[in-house]
Amino acid sequence: WKSFPTVRWIDVAEDESPRLDALARPPIPPEDQPFIETLASDLDAPAYCSEHGVQTLKRGLNGRDLIEALLYEPAVSLDGIHAGYPGGGKTIIPGHAEAEVDFRVPYGCDAEAALQQARDLIAAAAPEVEVTEAGICPAARTSAGSRVAKAMIASHDDQGSGARVWPVAPWWAPYHLFERTLKLPFAIGGAG
C-alpha cells in the first residue's frame, strides 16, 4: 500500500473563502451602497431557498451580507467530477479522472493572476495533473452615474416599475469587451 498525503490544493479560510492572494475581496465602491441596501431589503432568503431546494446558504449569510458576498466575493466552484467506469463492470481503480472547476473573480481582482496562482498550487501539490482552461472572462462594471446607466434606470421609472439596480453582475458574460476593448460604458436590462 502506498500512502498519499492529504493535499488541499485550493486552500480555504475558516469562512470558506479561497486563499489565493489574487482573489482578495476588493473594497466595495461607495456609490454601490444604496443599491446594496435596496437589494438586501427586497431579499427573501428563506423563500429563495425553499423555491430552489437549497438547504442552507454558505456561512449562513442573509440580507446585506449575502448580497455583498454574491456581488463582491470570489468563489471557486467544483462543477463536476468524472472518473471510473460509468457503465460499471470493472473492479479496478481508474487511471484517469477529470474535474471541472470555475472561479468567479470579482471586479478589481486579476483573473489571470488567480489562474496562475491556482496552476502553481496544483503543480506543487500534484505535478502530474494537467490543467486546461476554457477561457477567462474578466469582470467589468459601469458606474451607475454614467449616462447609459441613468438612461437604463429612467426607462424603468418611465414605465412606473422602478429599476432594480445590480451594481455588479455576478454571472459570466463578456461585458469586459465594452469596458476594456471598446472603452464604452454599458448597462444590461431595461423595462419591458
Side-chain angles (χ1 to χ4, degrees):
W1 292 95
K2 185 175 179 182
S3 174
F4 293 98
T6 301
V7 177
R8 296 176 72 183
W9 57 272
I10 299 291
D11 196 13
V12 295
E14 290 293 321
D15 68 355
E16 298 179 29
S17 62
R19 284 191 198 172
L20 289 176
D21 293 340
L23 290 181
R25 178 178 165 168
I28 298 172
E31 76 170 355
D32 292 1
Q33 299 298 336
F35 303 118
I36 294 168
E37 290 297 331
T38 301
L39 291 169
S41 69
D42 293 342
L43 177 68
D44 185 345
Y48 174 87
C49 289
S50 176
E51 181 180 333
H52 295 284
V54 174
Q55 297 297 312
T56 184
L57 295 170
K58 186 176 178 181
R59 301 188 322 252
L61 295 177
N62 199 347
R64 182 184 179 88
D65 293 334
L66 181 61
I67 295 295
E68 285 186 7
L70 175 65
L71 298 179
Y72 304 100
E73 287 187 9
V76 178
S77 302
L78 177 59
D79 298 331
I81 299 174
H82 172 78
Y85 310 95
K90 298 210 179 203
T91 59
I92 59 173
I93 297 172
H96 178 82
E98 296 178 14
E100 174 110 4
V101 177
D102 74 68
F103 287 41
R104 185 180 64 191
V105 181
Y107 192 83
C109 293
D110 185 338
E112 291 182 18
L115 176 61
Q116 188 57 53
Q117 285 180 356
R119 283 180 176 278
D120 293 346
L121 286 169
I122 294 166
E128 70 280 3
V129 172
E130 178 186 351
V131 177
T132 57
E133 64 184 72
I136 294 177
C137 185
R141 70 176 284 127
T142 294
S143 168
S146 71
R147 286 182 23 208
V148 70
K150 285 180 178 180
M152 177 70 67
I153 293 167
S155 75
H156 286 266
D157 294 341
D158 289 347
Q159 297 298 315
S161 60
R164 189 165 185 213
V165 178
W166 288 80
V168 176
W171 48 80
W172 190 98
Y175 301 144
H176 69 282
L177 295 173
F178 290 101
E179 178 191 23
R180 297 179 188 194
T181 304
L182 300 174
K183 309 280 191 235
L184 293 172
F186 64 95
I188 306 300

